[in-house]
Amino acid sequence: MPATTAVKSFGNYINGEWVEEEKVFSSINPADRSDIVGQFQSSSEETAKKALDAARDAFRSWSNTSPSKRAAILTKAADLLDSRSKQIAEEITREVGKPIGASLNEVKRSAETLRYYAIEGVSYTGETFPNDDPNLRVYTVKEPLGVISVITPWNFPLSIPARKIAPALITGNTVVFKPSSDSPLVGFRMAEALHEAGLPKGVLNFVTGSSKAIGDILVTHPAVRGVTFTGSTGAGEQIHRSVSLTTRTQMELGGKNPLIVMEDADLDEAVNLTINGGFGLSGQACTGTSRVIVIKRVKEQFTNRLVQRTKELTVADGFTKGVFMGPLANERQLKNVLDYIKIGKSEGAELLCGGEHLTGTGYDDGYFVNPAVFTNVKPGMRIEQEEIFGPVICLIEAENYEEAVSIANNVEYGLSAAIVTNQVHYIERFLKEAEAGTVKSNRTTTGNLMNAPFGGIKKSSTSTFRESGRVGLEFFTQTKTVYYGH
């Protein structure tokens, strides 16, 4: 772990200036609660209003700025992130606990996302429509919405903001960005890079603080034309109900993602996919593998291999060499996971390994838990239905493909789903029949390309506008149809 220095205070960024409040809160290292990563502003509603007003006032000028100038700023910000990748990666690991290799990958991915939208944005345009009038030209133009509130979680504290802020800015919108209070420093680094890249004042505004204090104004202020949010389904539903008729929402919410293991699957590969999808990032990914539905004929073999591999995983501080899994992000997450371990046992599921709150040297000051595997999980159990958002895998037995896909679909979420098989007919059926926004064969439920659409169905999303890829620009624009006659 890098050496720490005196605790530093980081300001809000409003109308091109770094400003501070009277009250602050601390960001804590989840692997070592004695390590205070930084102090951040406990913003008031009045401060959030100032940020929104600044974004509204900057909109006209920014929307008239040429796409090439906007793209140049995004590209320069990407270069700044790359040049600071080691520092920012260490800060990600200190702030949210993920292994340093994953943190480095996140910085790289975020810089690539800024560059991707810098390129896509300059070619994003409308259509021209043939008509019978030789003196009439009919076409559409894509116009920015206005002020966008960007509200992001802690599990991907740089890459999720990047995939929301970049398309918002390149299409001419202005932004008020509120990161999670568990990862404000990483959000600060994104705002800092865009500021140093030459973003005009008011175009991006950065505010920290509790959702209780400033969350409502960020979605109900009259200037807000769009809210893009990633987080829990409960919070997303509340935002969706709160906005005005003319305010768009883009919600990426919870998941209870299944992986089906068929009788012909390569079981070692299936175990790898389960481990990486279910325990990577300590199970704290919305697309994480939560349910593994295994055909009865191979369940015992698969289970034995999975338990053996799970027991071999290294759980430690994210800076530890060879670590697979770091701590949970905060005390609330730890309590939630431990509560679900108790719930699973009380429901009659059998805990095969893990689920303990780790203590002792290297663990006492952090939120560490051993990855858990439950078997004899029945459809309808709470641990099978509810999002745990931690390193807990539920093994469910199925007689055949039909029963497996029925179990997979029988939840209120529909974010990601995968199948492990070598049979083409199983793959083709599953890709059609799985009720999820992302479906995969012989891959983990986690991970998505930056140039491909991402989003869920059912209660995993508002099912309106997808994130990522070229279609990720659509949420931030409205279509105007022009009839140009002469």
Side-chain angles (χ1 to χ4, degrees):
M1 178 176 172
T4 58
T5 57
V7 178
K8 182 178 178 181
S9 181
F10 297 87
N12 289 325
Y13 181 62
I14 299 175
N15 204 27
E17 297 181 357
W18 301 101
V19 294
E20 298 190 354
E21 301 271 296
E22 292 183 3
K23 296 181 180 179
V24 296
F25 67 94
S26 297
S27 177
I28 305 296
N29 183 342
D32 179 3
R33 287 168 290 187
S34 67
D35 177 23
I36 301 176
V37 178
Q39 290 187 325
F40 298 85
Q41 309 311 304
S42 293
S43 301
S44 65
E45 185 174 287
E46 186 59 34
T47 296
K49 285 181 180 177
K50 290 178 181 178
L52 290 160
D53 289 342
R56 179 195 58 205
D57 294 343
F59 172 66
R60 182 174 295 277
S61 175
W62 180 245
S63 65
N64 288 326
T65 299
S66 70
S68 61
K69 288 183 179 179
R70 297 180 206 149
I73 291 172
L74 290 183
T75 301
K76 186 173 181 181
D79 293 342
L80 290 170
L81 292 180
D82 274 339
S83 70
R84 300 165 184 172
S85 60
K86 182 176 184 296
Q87 171 200 332
I88 297 174
E90 290 175 352
E91 290 170 341
I92 291 173
T93 295
R94 280 183 68 201
E95 198 160 48
V96 301
K98 65 178 62 178
I100 187 65
S103 297
L104 283 165
N105 288 337
E106 181 167 354
V107 180
K108 179 181 178 181
R109 166 73 172 246
S110 302
E112 289 174 347
T113 298
L114 295 184
R115 293 190 183 98
Y116 172 79
Y117 280 112
I119 294 170
E120 286 292 332
V122 298
S123 62
Y124 189 62
T125 185
E127 300 176 274
T128 299
F129 300 92
N131 71 91
D132 293 336
D133 186 341
N135 296 316
L136 179 68
R137 185 155 52 101
V138 183
Y139 59 93
T140 58
V141 292
K142 298 288 188 178
E143 296 185 337
L145 297 180
V147 177
I148 306 294
S149 286
V150 173
I151 305 172
T152 59
W154 43 261
N155 57 337
F156 292 95
L158 196 67
S159 63
I160 290 179
R163 78 179 187 218
K164 295 176 183 290
I165 292 172
L169 294 179
I170 195 65
T171 49
N173 298 278
T174 55
V175 169
V176 176
F177 167 37
K178 186 192 115 48
S180 166
S181 293
D182 287 309
S183 57
L185 178 55
V186 182
F188 178 95
R189 295 305 184 203
M190 174 63 77
E192 182 181 55
L194 287 163
H195 164 69
E196 293 183 20
L199 203 64
K201 68 178 185 178
V203 174
L204 174 76
N205 302 273
F206 168 80
V207 291
T208 57
S210 72
S211 295
K212 183 177 180 180
I214 62 175
D216 185 64
I217 193 65
L218 290 177
V219 303
T220 61
H221 190 283
V224 176
R225 293 296 315 282
V227 179
T228 176
F229 168 82
T230 297
S232 72
T233 295
E237 287 179 334
Q238 183 176 348
I239 292 170
H240 194 56
R241 289 193 300 265
S242 300
V243 300
S244 73
L245 177 66
T246 56
T247 301
R248 285 185 182 178
T249 61
Q250 181 186 54
M251 305 284 153
E252 292 306 332
L253 309 173
K256 194 67 179 174
N257 311 294
L259 177 75
I260 294 175
V261 180
M262 295 303 299
E263 66 272 12
D264 70 301
D266 179 328
L267 294 186
D268 288 331
E269 180 61 16
V271 168
N272 286 335
L273 296 175
T274 301
I275 294 284
N276 291 327
F279 298 144
L281 302 178
S282 304
Q284 299 172 126
C286 56
T287 55
T289 305
S290 180
R291 300 176 297 146
V292 182
I293 304 161
V294 190
I295 299 303
K296 182 178 181 179
R297 198 173 87 188
V298 295
K299 182 172 180 285
E300 183 177 357
Q301 295 180 60
F302 174 82
T303 301
N304 291 339
R305 297 184 197 191
L306 176 62
V307 170
Q308 180 181 345
R309 282 284 312 282
T310 300
K311 290 179 177 179
E312 295 170 353
L313 298 178
T314 302
V315 181
D317 183 290
F319 292 101
T320 302
K321 185 176 181 180
V323 64
F324 180 83
M325 203 177 93
L328 298 173
N330 51 48
E331 186 175 10
R332 183 178 65 256
Q333 287 293 111
L334 175 64
K335 181 180 184 302
N336 187 62
V337 169
L338 295 177
D339 284 348
Y340 271 108
I341 297 297
K342 294 177 183 176
I343 290 168
K345 292 177 179 178
S346 70
E347 290 181 312
E350 180 185 354
L351 181 63
L352 296 176
C353 64
E356 312 95 351
H357 178 198
L358 294 173
T359 57
T361 303
Y363 296 126
D364 280 343
D365 292 326
Y367 306 118
F368 294 94
V369 66
N370 257 334
V373 177
F374 276 103
T375 192
N376 297 332
V377 177
K378 305 300 182 185
M381 286 183 175
R382 287 185 62 188
I383 61 169
E384 191 266 341
Q385 289 285 309
E386 300 174 11
E387 184 178 42
I388 299 173
F389 216 66
V392 180
I393 286 173
C394 299
L395 297 181
I396 308 159
E397 184 179 291
E399 288 286 345
N400 49 41
Y401 168 83
E402 286 75 17
E403 184 182 10
V405 79
S406 176
I407 293 169
N409 289 338
N410 190 32
V411 292
E412 63 181 6
Y413 299 105
L415 188 55
S416 182
I419 190 169
V420 191
T421 181
N422 292 310
Q423 296 295 320
V424 172
H425 68 281
Y426 284 146
I427 292 174
E428 291 185 346
R429 285 188 64 184
F430 178 78
L431 298 181
K432 180 180 180 180
E433 296 170 0
E435 295 174 359
T438 297
V439 292
K440 301 181 179 183
S441 62
N442 300 307
R443 295 294 185 272
T444 63
T445 58
T446 53
N448 63 286
L449 294 174
M450 75 177 68
N451 59 344
F454 172 74
I457 61 174
K458 299 194 278 190
K459 285 194 173 181
S460 290
S461 172
T462 44
S463 296
T464 48
F465 296 88
R466 289 293 189 246
E467 293 189 329
S468 297
R470 189 172 178 85
V471 300
L473 297 162
E474 292 177 0
F475 173 76
F476 303 98
T477 60
Q478 55 196 352
T479 299
K480 177 182 283 184
T481 304
V482 179
Y483 288 74
Y484 189 151
H486 60 86

